Amino acid sequence: MNAVSTDTRQRILESARDLIYASSYAEVGVAAICERASVKKGSFYHFFPSKQELTLAVIDEFLVEFKERMFAQAFSPDIAPLDRFRKLLEIGYGFQVEMAAVLGHIPGCPFGNLAAELSTQDDGIRSKVDQVFALMERQFAATLHEAIGRGDVPPEVDADATARAMLAFLEGVLLMAKTRNDARVMLELGPAVADLRILKSSALST
Amino acid sequence: MNAVSTDTRQRILESARDLIYASSYAEVGVAAICERASVKKGSFYHFFPSKQELTLAVIDEFLVEFKERMFAQAFSPDIAPLDRFRKLLEIGYGFQVEMAAVLGHIPGCPFGNLAAELSTQDDGIRSKVDQVFALMERQFAATLHEAIGRGDVPPEVDADATARAMLAFLEGVLLMAKTRNDARVMLELGPAVADLRILKSSALST
DNA sequence: TTACAAGTAGACCGGTCGGTCTAGTTGGGG
DNA sequence: CCCCAACTAGACCGACCGGTCTACTTGTAA
Protein backbone atom coordinates (compact mmCIF):
# COMPACT_ATOMS: atom_id res chain seq x y z
CA MET A 1 0.00 0.00 0.00
CA ASN A 2 1.01 3.51 -0.55
CA ALA A 3 2.03 5.47 2.47
CA VAL A 4 -0.55 7.92 3.70
CA SER A 5 1.56 10.53 2.05
CA THR A 6 -0.76 13.38 1.24
CA ASP A 7 -2.82 15.56 3.51
CA THR A 8 -5.67 15.89 1.01
CA ARG A 9 -8.17 14.11 3.16
CA GLN A 10 -7.33 16.26 6.14
CA ARG A 11 -7.55 19.45 4.10
CA ILE A 12 -11.04 18.47 2.92
CA LEU A 13 -12.04 17.70 6.48
CA GLU A 14 -10.79 21.00 7.84
CA SER A 15 -12.28 23.04 5.04
CA ALA A 16 -15.61 21.38 5.58
CA ARG A 17 -15.39 21.90 9.31
CA ASP A 18 -14.63 25.60 8.97
CA LEU A 19 -17.22 26.30 6.30
CA ILE A 20 -20.02 24.38 7.94
CA TYR A 21 -19.31 25.91 11.32
CA ALA A 22 -19.32 29.36 9.81
CA SER A 23 -22.70 28.91 8.15
CA SER A 24 -24.60 25.63 7.97
CA TYR A 25 -24.65 22.19 6.45
CA ALA A 26 -27.06 23.04 3.67
CA GLU A 27 -25.40 26.30 2.79
CA VAL A 28 -22.03 24.72 2.13
CA GLY A 29 -21.74 22.80 -1.11
CA VAL A 30 -19.26 20.12 -2.01
CA ALA A 31 -17.82 22.45 -4.65
CA ALA A 32 -17.13 25.15 -2.04
CA ILE A 33 -15.40 22.66 0.24
CA CYS A 34 -13.26 21.46 -2.66
CA GLU A 35 -12.33 24.97 -3.67
CA ARG A 36 -11.27 25.96 -0.17
CA ALA A 37 -9.24 22.79 0.17
CA SER A 38 -7.71 23.24 -3.30
CA VAL A 39 -8.97 19.86 -4.28
CA LYS A 40 -10.97 18.61 -7.22
CA LYS A 41 -14.18 16.71 -6.97
CA GLY A 42 -12.47 13.54 -8.08
CA SER A 43 -10.36 13.60 -4.95
CA PHE A 44 -13.26 14.50 -2.72
CA TYR A 45 -15.27 11.49 -3.79
CA HIS A 46 -12.20 9.34 -3.63
CA PHE A 47 -12.00 9.94 0.13
CA PHE A 48 -15.65 10.37 1.01
CA PRO A 49 -18.57 8.50 -0.51
CA SER A 50 -21.02 11.33 0.12
CA LYS A 51 -21.49 14.70 1.73
CA GLN A 52 -23.27 13.07 4.62
CA GLU A 53 -20.39 10.67 5.28
CA LEU A 54 -18.02 13.59 5.20
CA THR A 55 -20.18 15.32 7.77
CA LEU A 56 -19.94 12.37 10.11
CA ALA A 57 -16.16 12.66 9.85
CA VAL A 58 -16.42 16.41 10.39
CA ILE A 59 -18.22 15.79 13.67
CA ASP A 60 -15.28 13.67 14.81
CA GLU A 61 -12.99 16.46 13.72
CA PHE A 62 -14.97 18.94 15.79
CA LEU A 63 -14.79 16.59 18.73
CA VAL A 64 -11.03 16.26 18.57
CA GLU A 65 -10.62 19.99 18.55
CA PHE A 66 -13.19 20.44 21.27
CA LYS A 67 -11.44 18.00 23.56
CA GLU A 68 -8.14 19.75 23.03
CA ARG A 69 -9.28 23.32 23.34
CA MET A 70 -12.01 23.01 25.91
CA PHE A 71 -12.16 19.79 27.87
CA ALA A 72 -8.45 19.30 28.38
CA GLN A 73 -8.06 22.72 29.92
CA ALA A 74 -11.28 23.03 31.86
CA PHE A 75 -11.45 19.57 33.37
CA SER A 76 -8.09 19.72 35.01
CA PRO A 77 -7.52 18.14 38.45
CA ASP A 78 -5.96 21.44 39.52
CA ILE A 79 -9.38 23.07 39.48
CA ALA A 80 -12.12 22.44 42.01
CA PRO A 81 -14.82 20.28 40.40
CA LEU A 82 -17.57 22.86 40.26
CA ASP A 83 -15.16 25.52 39.09
CA ARG A 84 -14.39 23.39 36.05
CA PHE A 85 -17.82 24.14 34.64
CA ARG A 86 -17.20 27.84 35.08
CA LYS A 87 -13.80 27.46 33.50
CA LEU A 88 -15.33 25.64 30.55
CA LEU A 89 -17.69 28.52 30.08
CA GLU A 90 -14.89 31.04 30.30
CA ILE A 91 -12.91 29.25 27.62
CA GLY A 92 -16.01 28.90 25.50
CA TYR A 93 -16.71 32.59 25.86
CA GLY A 94 -13.22 33.49 24.71
CA PHE A 95 -13.59 31.16 21.76
CA GLN A 96 -16.93 32.58 20.66
CA VAL A 97 -15.57 36.12 20.91
CA GLU A 98 -12.59 35.11 18.83
CA MET A 99 -14.76 33.48 16.20
CA ALA A 100 -17.11 36.44 16.12
CA ALA A 101 -14.18 38.73 15.39
CA VAL A 102 -13.30 36.61 12.37
CA LEU A 103 -16.73 35.64 11.10
CA GLY A 104 -18.78 38.65 12.06
CA HIS A 105 -21.22 36.59 14.07
CA ILE A 106 -21.37 34.17 16.98
CA PRO A 107 -21.28 30.64 15.56
CA GLY A 108 -22.59 28.86 18.64
CA CYS A 109 -22.01 25.18 19.30
CA PRO A 110 -20.96 23.13 16.27
CA PHE A 111 -22.72 20.04 17.60
CA GLY A 112 -25.86 21.84 18.60
CA ASN A 113 -26.02 23.57 15.24
CA LEU A 114 -25.83 20.31 13.32
CA ALA A 115 -28.32 18.64 15.63
CA ALA A 116 -30.80 21.46 15.24
CA GLU A 117 -30.48 21.59 11.47
CA LEU A 118 -30.31 17.93 10.62
CA SER A 119 -31.79 15.77 13.36
CA THR A 120 -35.12 15.65 11.59
CA GLN A 121 -33.59 14.84 8.22
CA ASP A 122 -30.66 12.53 8.77
CA ASP A 123 -30.74 9.95 11.51
CA GLY A 124 -27.09 9.08 11.09
CA ILE A 125 -25.97 12.59 11.89
CA ARG A 126 -28.55 12.89 14.64
CA SER A 127 -27.31 9.83 16.45
CA LYS A 128 -23.67 10.77 15.97
CA VAL A 129 -24.27 14.12 17.67
CA ASP A 130 -26.26 12.29 20.31
CA GLN A 131 -23.18 10.19 21.04
CA VAL A 132 -21.06 13.31 21.34
CA PHE A 133 -23.53 14.73 23.82
CA ALA A 134 -23.47 11.47 25.76
CA LEU A 135 -19.70 11.68 25.98
CA MET A 136 -19.88 15.20 27.37
CA GLU A 137 -22.53 14.14 29.83
CA ARG A 138 -20.23 11.42 31.09
CA GLN A 139 -17.47 13.93 31.68
CA PHE A 140 -19.88 16.24 33.49
CA ALA A 141 -21.28 13.43 35.59
CA ALA A 142 -17.82 12.26 36.65
CA THR A 143 -17.02 15.79 37.71
CA LEU A 144 -20.23 15.98 39.69
CA HIS A 145 -19.42 12.73 41.42
CA GLU A 146 -16.10 14.18 42.39
CA ALA A 147 -17.88 17.23 43.77
CA ILE A 148 -20.23 15.00 45.75
CA GLY A 149 -17.25 13.08 47.10
CA ARG A 150 -15.72 16.32 48.40
CA GLY A 151 -19.00 17.40 49.91
CA ASP A 152 -19.40 20.34 47.53
CA VAL A 153 -22.64 18.89 46.27
CA PRO A 154 -25.15 17.01 48.42
CA PRO A 155 -25.35 13.28 47.78
CA GLU A 156 -29.06 13.28 46.99
CA VAL A 157 -28.26 15.03 43.72
CA ASP A 158 -28.76 12.87 40.64
CA ALA A 159 -25.39 13.30 38.98
CA ASP A 160 -26.42 11.87 35.62
CA ALA A 161 -29.56 13.94 35.27
CA THR A 162 -27.81 17.04 36.53
CA ALA A 163 -25.01 16.51 34.04
CA ARG A 164 -27.56 16.33 31.25
CA ALA A 165 -29.28 19.44 32.54
CA MET A 166 -25.98 21.29 32.60
CA LEU A 167 -25.25 20.34 29.03
CA ALA A 168 -28.73 21.38 27.98
CA PHE A 169 -28.30 24.69 29.74
CA LEU A 170 -24.96 25.34 28.07
CA GLU A 171 -26.41 24.49 24.67
CA GLY A 172 -29.26 26.85 25.33
CA VAL A 173 -26.95 29.64 26.41
CA LEU A 174 -24.87 29.18 23.29
CA LEU A 175 -27.99 29.32 21.16
CA MET A 176 -29.15 32.50 22.86
CA ALA A 177 -25.75 34.08 22.35
CA LYS A 178 -25.86 33.12 18.69
CA THR A 179 -29.38 34.46 18.25
CA ARG A 180 -28.52 37.71 19.97
CA ASN A 181 -25.18 37.76 18.23
CA ASP A 182 -23.67 38.79 21.52
CA ALA A 183 -21.32 36.56 23.47
CA ARG A 184 -21.88 38.46 26.69
CA VAL A 185 -25.03 36.43 27.23
CA MET A 186 -22.62 33.68 28.15
CA LEU A 187 -21.14 35.75 30.94
CA GLU A 188 -24.52 36.78 32.25
CA LEU A 189 -26.18 33.37 32.27
CA GLY A 190 -23.36 30.89 32.17
CA PRO A 191 -22.23 30.84 35.79
CA ALA A 192 -25.62 29.45 36.79
CA VAL A 193 -24.54 26.17 35.25
CA ALA A 194 -22.62 25.28 38.38
CA ASP A 195 -25.70 25.80 40.53
CA LEU A 196 -27.96 23.44 38.61
CA ARG A 197 -29.15 20.44 40.55
CA ILE A 198 -31.62 17.69 39.89
CA LEU A 199 -32.46 15.45 42.82
CA LYS A 200 -32.70 11.68 42.70
CA SER A 201 -35.95 9.79 42.36
CA SER A 202 -37.94 12.48 40.68
CA ALA A 203 -40.77 10.42 39.28
CA LEU A 204 -40.42 9.70 35.58
CA SER A 205 -43.78 8.69 34.27
CA THR A 206 -44.40 6.16 31.48
CA MET B 1 -60.07 47.11 -3.68
CA ASN B 2 -61.11 43.55 -3.83
CA ALA B 3 -62.16 42.01 -0.60
CA VAL B 4 -59.58 39.78 1.00
CA SER B 5 -61.62 36.97 -0.37
CA THR B 6 -59.23 34.10 -0.83
CA ASP B 7 -57.23 32.24 1.73
CA THR B 8 -54.34 31.64 -0.62
CA ARG B 9 -51.87 33.65 1.41
CA GLN B 10 -52.82 31.85 4.59
CA ARG B 11 -52.55 28.46 2.92
CA ILE B 12 -49.04 29.30 1.76
CA LEU B 13 -48.14 30.46 5.24
CA GLU B 14 -49.43 27.34 6.92
CA SER B 15 -47.87 24.99 4.42
CA ALA B 16 -44.54 26.70 4.87
CA ARG B 17 -44.87 26.60 8.64
CA ASP B 18 -45.63 22.89 8.68
CA LEU B 19 -42.98 21.89 6.19
CA ILE B 20 -40.21 23.99 7.69
CA TYR B 21 -41.01 22.84 11.20
CA ALA B 22 -40.98 19.24 10.07
CA SER B 23 -37.55 19.49 8.48
CA SER B 24 -35.64 22.73 7.99
CA TYR B 25 -35.53 25.98 6.10
CA ALA B 26 -33.04 24.82 3.51
CA GLU B 27 -34.69 21.48 2.95
CA VAL B 28 -38.04 22.97 2.01
CA GLY B 29 -38.21 24.52 -1.43
CA VAL B 30 -40.67 27.08 -2.70
CA ALA B 31 -42.03 24.48 -5.08
CA ALA B 32 -42.82 22.09 -2.23
CA ILE B 33 -44.60 24.81 -0.29
CA CYS B 34 -46.66 25.68 -3.36
CA GLU B 35 -47.56 22.08 -4.00
CA ARG B 36 -48.74 21.49 -0.45
CA ALA B 37 -50.76 24.69 -0.53
CA SER B 38 -52.19 23.84 -3.97
CA VAL B 39 -50.89 27.10 -5.31
CA LYS B 40 -48.78 28.00 -8.29
CA LYS B 41 -45.57 29.93 -8.18
CA GLY B 42 -47.22 32.95 -9.68
CA SER B 43 -49.44 33.24 -6.63
CA PHE B 44 -46.62 32.60 -4.24
CA TYR B 45 -44.55 35.45 -5.56
CA HIS B 46 -47.62 37.61 -5.73
CA PHE B 47 -47.95 37.42 -1.96
CA PHE B 48 -44.32 37.11 -0.91
CA PRO B 49 -41.36 38.81 -2.54
CA SER B 50 -38.94 36.06 -1.54
CA LYS B 51 -38.51 32.90 0.47
CA GLN B 52 -36.82 34.84 3.20
CA GLU B 53 -39.71 37.31 3.50
CA LEU B 54 -42.09 34.38 3.68
CA THR B 55 -40.00 32.96 6.49
CA LEU B 56 -40.32 36.17 8.47
CA ALA B 57 -44.08 35.85 8.14
CA VAL B 58 -43.85 32.18 9.10
CA ILE B 59 -42.14 33.18 12.34
CA ASP B 60 -45.11 35.41 13.15
CA GLU B 61 -47.36 32.51 12.32
CA PHE B 62 -45.44 30.28 14.70
CA LEU B 63 -45.69 32.94 17.36
CA VAL B 64 -49.45 33.24 17.06
CA GLU B 65 -49.87 29.54 17.45
CA PHE B 66 -47.37 29.40 20.27
CA LYS B 67 -49.17 32.08 22.23
CA GLU B 68 -52.47 30.28 21.80
CA ARG B 69 -51.35 26.78 22.54
CA MET B 70 -48.68 27.37 25.16
CA PHE B 71 -48.58 30.79 26.73
CA ALA B 72 -52.29 31.33 27.07
CA GLN B 73 -52.74 28.09 28.98
CA ALA B 74 -49.56 28.01 31.03
CA PHE B 75 -49.43 31.63 32.15
CA SER B 76 -52.85 31.67 33.70
CA PRO B 77 -53.49 33.61 36.90
CA ASP B 78 -55.09 30.46 38.29
CA ILE B 79 -51.70 28.85 38.56
CA ALA B 80 -49.02 29.76 41.07
CA PRO B 81 -46.28 31.73 39.30
CA LEU B 82 -43.51 29.15 39.54
CA ASP B 83 -45.89 26.37 38.60
CA ARG B 84 -46.58 28.13 35.32
CA PHE B 85 -43.11 27.23 34.11
CA ARG B 86 -43.75 23.61 34.96
CA LYS B 87 -47.10 23.82 33.24
CA LEU B 88 -45.49 25.29 30.15
CA LEU B 89 -43.14 22.38 30.06
CA GLU B 90 -45.93 19.89 30.50
CA ILE B 91 -47.85 21.36 27.58
CA GLY B 92 -44.68 21.47 25.53
CA TYR B 93 -44.00 17.84 26.31
CA GLY B 94 -47.46 16.82 25.17
CA PHE B 95 -47.02 18.79 22.00
CA GLN B 96 -43.65 17.25 21.17
CA VAL B 97 -45.02 13.76 21.76
CA GLU B 98 -47.95 14.53 19.50
CA MET B 99 -45.69 15.86 16.77
CA ALA B 100 -43.36 12.91 17.08
CA ALA B 101 -46.27 10.54 16.53
CA VAL B 102 -47.06 12.32 13.27
CA LEU B 103 -43.60 13.13 11.99
CA GLY B 104 -41.59 10.25 13.35
CA HIS B 105 -39.20 12.52 15.17
CA ILE B 106 -39.12 15.27 17.79
CA PRO B 107 -39.16 18.60 15.99
CA GLY B 108 -37.93 20.74 18.88
CA CYS B 109 -38.53 24.46 19.11
CA PRO B 110 -39.48 26.17 15.83
CA PHE B 111 -37.76 29.38 16.86
CA GLY B 112 -34.65 27.71 18.14
CA ASN B 113 -34.42 25.61 15.00
CA LEU B 114 -34.54 28.62 12.72
CA ALA B 115 -32.12 30.55 14.90
CA ALA B 116 -29.63 27.71 14.90
CA GLU B 117 -29.84 27.14 11.17
CA LEU B 118 -29.99 30.69 9.89
CA SER B 119 -28.57 33.14 12.43
CA THR B 120 -25.20 33.07 10.75
CA GLN B 121 -26.64 33.48 7.26
CA ASP B 122 -29.56 35.85 7.47
CA ASP B 123 -29.54 38.72 9.87
CA GLY B 124 -33.20 39.54 9.28
CA ILE B 125 -34.34 36.15 10.43
CA ARG B 126 -31.83 36.15 13.27
CA SER B 127 -33.12 39.41 14.68
CA LYS B 128 -36.73 38.41 14.21
CA VAL B 129 -36.19 35.28 16.29
CA ASP B 130 -34.27 37.39 18.76
CA GLN B 131 -37.37 39.56 19.18
CA VAL B 132 -39.51 36.50 19.77
CA PHE B 133 -37.11 35.35 22.46
CA ALA B 134 -37.21 38.82 24.01
CA LEU B 135 -40.97 38.63 24.15
CA MET B 136 -40.84 35.29 25.93
CA GLU B 137 -38.26 36.62 28.33
CA ARG B 138 -40.60 39.47 29.23
CA GLN B 139 -43.37 37.04 30.01
CA PHE B 140 -41.02 34.94 32.13
CA ALA B 141 -39.67 37.99 33.94
CA ALA B 142 -43.14 39.27 34.75
CA THR B 143 -43.98 35.87 36.19
CA LEU B 144 -40.83 35.91 38.26
CA HIS B 145 -41.66 39.34 39.60
CA GLU B 146 -45.01 38.00 40.64
CA ALA B 147 -43.29 35.13 42.40
CA ILE B 148 -40.98 37.57 44.17
CA GLY B 149 -43.98 39.62 45.23
CA ARG B 150 -45.55 36.55 46.82
CA GLY B 151 -42.32 35.66 48.55
CA ASP B 152 -41.87 32.47 46.53
CA VAL B 153 -38.59 33.75 45.20
CA PRO B 154 -36.13 35.86 47.19
CA PRO B 155 -35.92 39.50 46.13
CA GLU B 156 -32.20 39.43 45.45
CA VAL B 157 -32.90 37.31 42.39
CA ASP B 158 -32.32 39.11 39.10
CA ALA B 159 -35.64 38.48 37.39
CA ASP B 160 -34.52 39.54 33.93
CA ALA B 161 -31.38 37.45 33.90
CA THR B 162 -33.17 34.51 35.46
CA ALA B 163 -35.91 34.75 32.84
CA ARG B 164 -33.28 34.62 30.12
CA ALA B 165 -31.60 31.68 31.81
CA MET B 166 -34.90 29.85 31.99
CA LEU B 167 -35.54 30.39 28.32
CA ALA B 168 -32.03 29.24 27.48
CA PHE B 169 -32.52 26.15 29.58
CA LEU B 170 -35.81 25.30 27.92
CA GLU B 171 -34.27 25.78 24.49
CA GLY B 172 -31.44 23.51 25.50
CA VAL B 173 -33.79 20.85 26.83
CA LEU B 174 -35.78 20.93 23.59
CA LEU B 175 -32.60 20.58 21.59
CA MET B 176 -31.50 17.61 23.66
CA ALA B 177 -34.89 15.98 23.24
CA LYS B 178 -34.68 16.51 19.51
CA THR B 179 -31.14 15.15 19.32
CA ARG B 180 -32.07 12.10 21.36
CA ASN B 181 -35.35 11.84 19.56
CA ASP B 182 -36.94 11.19 22.92
CA ALA B 183 -39.33 13.63 24.53
CA ARG B 184 -38.87 12.11 27.96
CA VAL B 185 -35.73 14.19 28.35
CA MET B 186 -38.16 17.03 28.88
CA LEU B 187 -39.71 15.29 31.85
CA GLU B 188 -36.37 14.41 33.36
CA LEU B 189 -34.71 17.80 33.05
CA GLY B 190 -37.51 20.26 32.58
CA PRO B 191 -38.75 20.71 36.14
CA ALA B 192 -35.39 22.21 37.07
CA VAL B 193 -36.41 25.29 35.12
CA ALA B 194 -38.42 26.53 38.09
CA ASP B 195 -35.39 26.27 40.37
CA LEU B 196 -33.09 28.38 38.25
CA ARG B 197 -31.93 31.58 39.88
CA ILE B 198 -29.45 34.24 38.98
CA LEU B 199 -28.68 36.81 41.65
CA LYS B 200 -28.46 40.53 41.09
CA SER B 201 -25.23 42.40 40.57
CA SER B 202 -23.18 39.53 39.33
CA ALA B 203 -20.31 41.45 37.78
CA LEU B 204 -20.60 41.69 34.01
CA SER B 205 -17.22 42.60 32.68
CA THR B 206 -16.68 44.86 29.64
C1' DT C 1 12.05 -1.48 -14.85
C1' DT C 2 7.75 -2.67 -14.76
C1' DA C 3 3.19 -3.00 -12.97
C1' DC C 4 -0.43 -1.74 -10.21
C1' DA C 5 -2.97 0.74 -6.80
C1' DA C 6 -3.66 5.31 -4.87
C1' DG C 7 -4.75 9.56 -5.88
C1' DT C 8 -5.90 13.58 -9.04
C1' DA C 9 -8.10 16.13 -12.75
C1' DG C 10 -12.09 18.03 -14.54
C1' DA C 11 -15.81 17.43 -17.90
C1' DC C 12 -20.24 15.99 -17.39
C1' DC C 13 -25.05 14.47 -15.60
C1' DG C 14 -30.02 15.01 -14.40
C1' DG C 15 -32.42 17.36 -11.09
C1' DT C 16 -33.68 21.15 -8.30
C1' DC C 17 -33.04 25.73 -6.60
C1' DG C 18 -35.15 30.63 -6.01
C1' DG C 19 -37.04 33.67 -8.92
C1' DT C 20 -39.14 35.97 -13.40
C1' DC C 21 -42.40 36.86 -16.84
C1' DT C 22 -46.31 36.93 -19.83
C1' DA C 23 -50.85 35.68 -20.54
C1' DG C 24 -54.90 34.95 -18.73
C1' DT C 25 -59.02 34.91 -15.38
C1' DT C 26 -61.65 36.68 -12.14
C1' DG C 27 -64.90 39.89 -9.56
C1' DG C 28 -66.57 44.07 -7.75
C1' DG C 29 -67.08 49.47 -8.30
C1' DG C 30 -68.47 52.96 -11.53
C1' DC D 1 -71.75 46.59 -19.09
C1' DC D 2 -67.15 47.75 -18.94
C1' DC D 3 -62.83 48.42 -16.81
C1' DC D 4 -59.14 47.77 -13.91
C1' DA D 5 -56.78 45.81 -10.24
C1' DA D 6 -56.23 41.58 -7.71
C1' DC D 7 -55.08 37.29 -8.43
C1' DT D 8 -53.75 32.84 -10.89
C1' DA D 9 -51.46 29.85 -14.21
C1' DG D 10 -47.47 27.72 -15.61
C1' DA D 11 -43.62 27.92 -18.90
C1' DC D 12 -39.18 29.39 -18.41
C1' DC D 13 -34.44 31.03 -16.62
C1' DG D 14 -29.51 30.61 -15.26
C1' DA D 15 -27.18 28.92 -11.35
C1' DC D 16 -26.07 25.48 -8.59
C1' DC D 17 -26.80 20.96 -6.34
C1' DG D 18 -24.66 16.21 -5.11
C1' DG D 19 -22.70 12.80 -7.55
C1' DT D 20 -20.42 10.02 -11.66
C1' DC D 21 -17.04 8.79 -14.92
C1' DT D 22 -12.98 8.35 -17.66
C1' DA D 23 -8.37 9.52 -18.28
C1' DC D 24 -4.27 10.66 -16.34
C1' DT D 25 -0.23 11.06 -12.95
C1' DT D 26 2.36 9.42 -9.33
C1' DG D 27 4.72 6.76 -5.79
C1' DT D 28 6.34 2.48 -4.53
C1' DA D 29 6.93 -2.60 -3.95
C1' DA D 30 8.48 -6.58 -6.44
Side-chain angles (χ1 to χ4, degrees):
Chain A
M1 285 111 238
N2 276 349
V4 189
S5 49
T6 66
D7 61 341
T8 304
R9 197 188 126 98
Q10 192 61 25
R11 286 211 316 279
I12 294 170
L13 227 32
E14 287 171 9
S15 298
R17 158 168 57 75
D18 295 347
L19 289 172
I20 291 173
Y21 189 37
S23 51
S24 72
Y25 175 82
E27 187 70 9
V28 176
V30 173
I33 294 167
C34 288
E35 193 181 1
R36 183 178 173 115
S38 303
V39 152
K40 301 300 174 188
K41 266 200 183 165
S43 297
F44 180 100
Y45 282 98
H46 173 73
F47 289 106
F48 302 99
S50 68
K51 190 189 177 189
Q52 102 103 354
E53 286 282 343
L54 162 75
T55 305
L56 294 175
V58 162
I59 293 171
D60 282 325
E61 192 67 13
F62 273 129
L63 186 56
V64 166
E65 201 191 328
F66 179 79
K67 281 181 180 167
E68 281 174 11
R69 292 191 66 148
M70 310 271 168
F71 262 41
Q73 290 168 53
F75 290 88
S76 147
D78 303 341
I79 306 176
L82 286 183
D83 284 337
R84 292 175 206 161
F85 295 108
R86 301 187 184 98
K87 177 75 176 174
L88 180 66
L89 216 124
E90 207 173 280
I91 299 171
Y93 170 75
F95 182 70
Q96 294 291 325
V97 167
E98 189 185 314
M99 294 304 294
V102 176
L103 304 172
H105 49 249
I106 306 284
C109 171
F111 308 110
N113 292 348
L114 286 172
E117 182 182 358
L118 300 172
S119 282
T120 54
Q121 296 170 49
D122 188 313
D123 205 64
I125 290 176
R126 198 216 92 245
S127 85
K128 180 104 194 174
V129 175
D130 191 37
Q131 285 165 30
V132 171
F133 283 164
L135 185 147
M136 294 186 187
E137 282 167 27
R138 262 176 267 131
Q139 176 74 269
F140 286 14
T143 303
L144 278 169
H145 276 122
E146 206 177 320
I148 292 169
R150 295 165 102 243
D152 295 345
V153 167
E156 62 270 22
V157 162
D158 183 335
D160 289 340
T162 302
R164 250 191 292 286
M166 285 175 160
L167 179 60
F169 181 64
L170 291 177
E171 285 295 328
V173 168
L174 248 347
L175 180 56
M176 299 296 286
K178 180 178 181 175
T179 308
R180 281 212 159 180
N181 201 22
D182 186 346
R184 284 173 300 175
V185 178
M186 298 174 71
L187 297 180
E188 186 192 22
L189 308 183
V193 71
D195 303 325
L196 268 169
R197 269 138 193 72
I198 293 183
L199 302 186
K200 283 176 190 163
S201 77
S202 311
L204 183 62
S205 58
T206 308
Chain B
M1 280 111 241
N2 277 350
V4 189
S5 49
T6 65
D7 62 340
T8 305
R9 195 189 128 98
Q10 192 61 25
R11 285 213 316 281
I12 295 170
L13 227 30
E14 286 171 11
S15 297
R17 157 167 59 73
D18 294 348
L19 289 172
I20 290 173
Y21 189 37
S23 51
S24 72
Y25 174 83
E27 187 70 9
V28 176
V30 173
I33 294 167
C34 289
E35 192 181 1
R36 183 180 175 114
S38 302
V39 150
K40 301 299 175 188
K41 266 197 183 170
S43 300
F44 181 99
Y45 283 99
H46 174 72
F47 288 106
F48 301 99
S50 69
K51 189 189 179 190
Q52 102 104 354
E53 286 281 343
L54 163 75
T55 305
L56 294 175
V58 162
I59 293 172
D60 282 325
E61 192 69 12
F62 274 129
L63 186 57
V64 166
E65 201 189 328
F66 179 79
K67 281 182 181 168
E68 281 173 13
R69 293 190 67 147
M70 309 272 167
F71 262 41
Q73 290 168 55
F75 290 88
S76 147
D78 303 341
I79 306 175
L82 285 183
D83 284 337
R84 293 175 204 160
F85 295 108
R86 300 187 185 97
K87 177 74 175 174
L88 181 66
L89 216 124
E90 210 173 278
I91 298 171
Y93 170 76
F95 181 71
Q96 294 292 324
V97 167
E98 189 185 314
M99 294 304 295
V102 177
L103 303 173
H105 49 247
I106 306 284
C109 170
F111 308 110
N113 291 349
L114 286 171
E117 182 182 359
L118 299 172
S119 283
T120 54
Q121 294 171 52
D122 187 313
D123 205 64
I125 291 176
R126 198 215 92 243
S127 83
K128 181 105 194 173
V129 176
D130 192 37
Q131 285 165 29
V132 171
F133 282 164
L135 186 147
M136 295 186 185
E137 282 167 26
R138 262 177 267 130
Q139 176 75 270
F140 286 14
T143 304
L144 278 169
H145 276 122
E146 207 177 320
I148 292 170
R150 296 165 102 243
D152 294 346
V153 167
E156 61 271 22
V157 162
D158 182 335
D160 289 340
T162 302
R164 249 191 293 287
M166 285 175 160
L167 179 59
F169 181 64
L170 290 176
E171 285 294 327
V173 168
L174 249 345
L175 180 57
M176 299 296 286
K178 179 178 183 176
T179 308
R180 280 213 161 179
N181 201 23
D182 186 347
R184 285 173 299 175
V185 178
M186 297 174 70
L187 296 180
E188 186 193 22
L189 308 183
V193 70
D195 303 325
L196 266 170
R197 272 137 192 70
I198 293 183
L199 302 186
K200 283 176 190 164
S201 77
S202 310
L204 182 62
S205 57
T206 309

